Amino acid sequence: MKLSDLKTSQQVIDERRKDPAFRAEWDRTAFARDVALRIVKYREDNGLTQTALARMVGMTQSVIARLESGDQPPSIATLAKLSKGTGMSFDIKITHGAVEFITA
């Protein structure tokens, strides 16, 4: 198989989302994935290790690693710590049991 024959990650996700069980789990973890991506981007943009970021925000490296895994949504208190220690902004909307970021 040639590299050009491989599907993109988005194509694979789009195909998998046709499965109701996958779609439910994908939707359940959307907020946690968004937070994870923001944390990873912040660390990359600022040349920080997980340990260095953890020290900045008063957490442990293992907490940062769990946040970056995107498996479980962070608490409001965790988002507040991240915001206070980094200046990151987390504008969220909670509607009908779903949590999402508000984008400007």
Side-chain angles (χ1 to χ4, degrees), residues 67-81:
L67 289 168
E68 289 185 358
S69 76
D71 291 332
Q72 294 296 318
S75 68
I76 297 296
T78 297
L79 293 177
K81 272 184 142 177

Side-chain angles (χ1 to χ4, degrees), residues 5-46:
D5 294 335
L6 295 175
K7 295 177 184 177
T8 66
S9 60
Q10 191 59 55
Q11 288 171 323
V12 172
I13 291 167
D14 289 344
E15 286 178 10
R16 297 283 319 270
R17 284 183 54 86
K18 294 174 186 173
D19 172 30
F22 178 87
R23 186 174 53 249
E25 182 65 8
W26 184 259
D27 292 346
R28 183 191 71 78
T29 59
F31 178 69
R33 276 194 319 277
D34 287 344
V35 171
L37 291 171
R38 286 179 184 219
I39 293 170
V40 170
K41 182 173 182 349
Y42 180 88
R43 279 198 317 104
E44 182 178 290
D45 290 350
N46 292 279

Side-chain angles (χ1 to χ4, degrees), residues 59-95:
M59 296 178 185
T60 63
Q61 178 275 329
S62 62
V63 170
I64 298 299
R66 280 195 301 274
L67 289 168
E68 289 185 358
S69 76
D71 291 332
Q72 294 296 318
S75 68
I76 297 296
T78 297
L79 293 177
K81 272 184 142 177
L82 285 166
S83 180
K84 183 177 181 181
T86 64
M88 293 172 70
S89 179
F90 298 98
D91 298 319
I92 59 174
K93 177 182 177 183
I94 302 170
T95 308

